[in-house]
Amino acid sequence: MEPPAAKRSRGCPAGPEERDAGAGAARGRGRPEALLDLSAKRVAESWAFEQVEERFSRVPEPVQKRIVFWSFPRSEREICMYSSLGYPPPEGEHDARVPFTRGLHLLQSGAVDRVLQVGFHLSGNIREPGSPGEPERLYHVSISFDRCKITSVSCGCDNRDLFYCAHVVALSLYRIRHAHQVELRLPISETLSQMNRDQLQKFVQYLISAHHTEVLPTAQRLADEILLLGSEINLVNGAPDPTAGAGIEDANCWHLDEEQIQEQVKQLLSNGGYYGASQQLRSMFSKVPCGPAGRGVQKAPADAPALPHHPVPGTGALWVCVVLSPHCKPEERAGWLQLLSRWDKLDVCPLEEGNYSFDGPSLQPTMAPAPGSEEEEEVAATSPRHTVFGRALLAGELHWNDAYLQRILASDSYGPSLTGSMGGDKPTFDPQGCPLWLGEPFPTACARVDTLRAHGYPRQALRLASAIINTLRLQQRHQLESYKQQKKELLQKGSTCITNTEGWVGHPLDPIGCLCRALLEACRLEEETLTLYPDSGPEKRKVAYQHVPVPGSPGESYLVLALEVALLGLGQQRALPEGLYAQDKVVRNEEQLLALLEEVELDERLVQVLRKQAGLLLEGGPFSGFGEVLFRESVPMHTCARYLFTALLPHDPDLAYRLALRAMRLPVLETAFPAGEPHPSPLDSIMSNHFPRWFILGHLETRQCELASTMLTAAKGDPKWLHTVLGSIQQNIHSPALLFKLAQDACKTATPVSAPPDTTLLGIALELGLQVMRMTLNVMTWRRREMVRWLVSCATEIGPQALMNIMQNWYSLFTPVEAATIVAVTGTTHATLLRLQLDTSRREELWACARTLALQCAMKDPQNCALPALTLCEKNHSAFEAAYQIVLDAAAGGLGHAHLFTVARYMEHRGLPLRAYKLATLALAQLSIAFNQDSHPAVNDVLWACSLSHSLGRHELSAIVPLIIRSIHCAPMLSDILRRWTLSAPGLGPLGVRRAAKPLGADRAPLCQLLDAAVTAYITTSHSRLTHISPRHYGDFIEFLGKARETFLLAPDGHLQFAQFLENLKQTYKGKKKLMLLVRERFG
């Protein structure tokens, strides 16, 4: 296969075209650079030093020094790329484990010294502090470089890792940041050529003397060979010089340890982990796919122990790039295809995630098929599944020797020979005279662009990318015409089938990303002094891009094309692919594309492109994700719309809001849950049991919420847009948790610390909060209390009327417990009243509203709200009486004894003992404690009630005794109450003086009834326990009889009764001889 004819030789300087369009062209800021430096830069980037020496018989020493000076890499990004997983390192990598971060710290701590550059060789010492108690360590680092690439490294730490060690990073960054402080010398051969015989002899002898233990054997061997006239060394002119740079034929690529790469790839492929292994593999692929990293990846799997069970992202695209190489030899390609075919047939070979076709529709300039045609549905439904290597196998059938393709790649100018068609009915140019690339699926065409770029054909990649984008533009125009013809029908129908059988964002070949990266790279201003982490602070400087004209297309620039194609891909209406990994890739690719666009500083020219594309997206119908008609399972546009909204807002607010509001839709939820209806699990995202295919639905809903929050924040101070955004939120967001977050964000935005609040935005926040309350009213969750408290605080920020409104309409927003214990209480706290700054009448109005709320809640749920209502109504006699009557009525209706006791204790605490006694008697009437329930939860309440009745007087005590006898059958408990009542006289006088002179007797009314009940309870309980008693419980029973005797003895004839009781036990249970023996021993 022949490479494209226009490839530039590595040994030739770039022509004008390459300089204008090439990425990384350095342009000085401020004072213009010297012509010598400008020329030296270009030569240092493109020519091997050997080529300079061959072309020019004599190169002045100042020129040599500038070429050598500019030959070292000038961007820290490249150093970072080969010393961390990515560039710049993500937040998680900013720690001591990442070599780039460690090297940067060493540089900033002054650990680099004795830096010397001799030709194309840089050396220096790195002093690294030791661990506590260990000495400082000194490492000698050597770096060779050529044409702005590091070609080899050596460090005393003997690093064996995929990345450059921290010491190499420190020395490299020192050379970039402090280049003029580095001592610079010409290649050592130039210095030797200036010496005479005596000087050379002295030089050699001193060198041997300084390093005789290392170099003496080698020096003697070389001396012997030189003295031998016919030796091989004497047949070669000159001598090698490691400081003179690479030769013309030497490969010019960044240094990576291929052996180490192979080991790493084997291990990662064997593990097959998705988030760990795949992240590192993607990082390797990014370090020039077909350079050393690519070769290592290609070689490693040949003897890897196993293939991963899940697709490693980037594997298929990498192999397509390898197999599609323009200068690949046929036998080499055949070997790769044979290996891939063998892997493809393995049962464990992972399948490609998603429902992407391998033979999708080709790029065509003609009319697009009718939206939702049966033909498209059939293609989508019958697409076979393929392994991750399937695309690379198909790429083996592609070639580069198509005559029209060669012409596109060869030139930017198109003469008469290029006009016409591709040998058929397919036109080769659009109406503006720009070339088209037809007859090939879009992802495949973009894979060609990526392959050209990876294999060293950047200019040809740009030419093909321009042709592809021309075709996309023409196709977009035809799609719009097609939609206009069917617009009325589709709008009446209200839905559509998917028009794009496969999405471009998230596609395994990443076609949009390939085009964007190629185009942006051509426009990037690579500043030679760029630092990712400057010494003065941690902030990263923004990437600078410039408009590079597209040859043959007046008014066009590659930067414009990059923005346009990114928006075309991001705005494409497409179905969500199948599978977790494919859906995750859609999200990641979208975020990566938007991250690229956010690096671009928008000028007037780019803003016009944004406005134009935004308009086209709104008018795109079923072909656009922003169109009026959406396929039910199409990918939402929230993330893309957020970028467009932020970018357009300063320039065209109406368009920005129209676009963002259109993108708020989430069709899959709109069809499942009509507007205003919550889904079954309201505080979570839509659950997977309803949408098993939508694994990332929670993420998509979060992005929808972020878009809404961005619009609310931007609309602050504009009531018209605020209410419009509110309507969209209420219609499209179905998750109460996200609605609550929006409400919180809006409230925070509306109440800045140093400015007056925005009342309209506060009202929006309150309205969202009210909607959340209504949606979650019947679903109790742990977040409800937080939501209710926030709503009260938000209403407080608005004013007393808002607070009273939610109190008056509480039944549709809160449960009775929430309204009585949170809303009414929080709304009347001292802090709330101070915040509202109300006068006396308004304060009383608020209190009246809260009391009314509390009484309504007590009537609806007396069990949980009666006590809060009483507490809130304490200061208003009529309200308090009403609350007390509600409790009495509820007691008749079945209010539990526990709640009655609680309210009774409250009444006693408030100084209302008679009311407390009344409630206690009502509670006792509902209580029943069996003979064996001596640890019943109500024991303390009963004892308290007995103590209360005893303190009130003989009459109250007499009245409660029958209730005690009827409700309590537990003998120990009855005897305990009896003893308490016999200790002191009942009742206290007004000044604390007892009404009765002496305590009550247990044998007289009213306590004699209680004594009889206690004795009867002991007798009954004894027989019950003896029925099923085991020997291990004999001791407990004897203790029980001891307590029973104490109670029997309270009666005048207690001795006789207890003796008769024991005799009855002995006769009845005489079979239990051991137990009866214990009874005799204890009681006789």
Side-chain angles (χ1 to χ4, degrees), residues 26-39 41 70:
R27 289 163 174 82
R29 300 289 178 88
R31 188 177 63 181
E33 291 186 271
L35 182 59
L36 172 59
D37 280 317
L38 291 172
S39 304
K41 285 182 186 179
W70 290 113

Side-chain angles (χ1 to χ4, degrees), residues 759-773:
T759 55
T760 306
L761 188 53
L762 266 177
I764 298 292
L766 181 65
E767 183 59 37
L768 290 173
L770 294 175
Q771 182 176 348
V772 172
M773 291 296 103

Side-chain angles (χ1 to χ4, degrees), residues 482-495:
S482 170
Y483 171 58
K484 288 177 182 178
Q485 296 175 5
Q486 308 171 56
K487 182 174 181 179
K488 185 176 180 181
E489 176 186 349
L490 286 173
L491 291 179
Q492 289 176 347
K493 186 178 178 182
S495 62

Side-chain angles (χ1 to χ4, degrees), residues 146 426 729 741 1016:
D146 176 55
K426 297 177 181 177
I729 291 171
K741 183 179 184 304
T1016 304

Side-chain angles (χ1 to χ4, degrees), residues 189-267:
S189 55
E190 295 292 328
T191 304
L192 294 177
S193 66
Q194 300 174 19
M195 297 183 183
N196 58 32
R197 184 188 180 284
D198 292 338
Q199 290 173 322
L200 283 172
Q201 183 171 355
K202 182 177 289 188
F203 171 78
V204 172
Q205 287 185 216
Y206 268 100
L207 181 62
I208 294 173
S209 176
H211 304 283
H212 65 278
T213 57
E214 293 89 1
V215 304
L216 190 56
T218 303
Q220 186 60 55
R221 178 178 57 80
L222 292 175
D224 292 343
E225 290 186 17
I226 290 174
L227 291 174
L228 186 62
L229 296 178
S231 64
E232 182 178 354
I233 199 171
N234 285 321
L235 299 177
V236 179
N237 292 326
D241 181 2
T243 67
I248 299 175
E249 300 301 327
D250 293 341
N252 178 231
C253 59
W254 284 84
H255 167 76
L256 274 179
D257 189 339
E258 286 191 33
E259 182 181 343
Q260 186 65 23
I261 291 173
Q262 292 179 36
E263 291 300 322
Q264 291 265 353
V265 173
K266 288 178 186 177
Q267 182 179 357

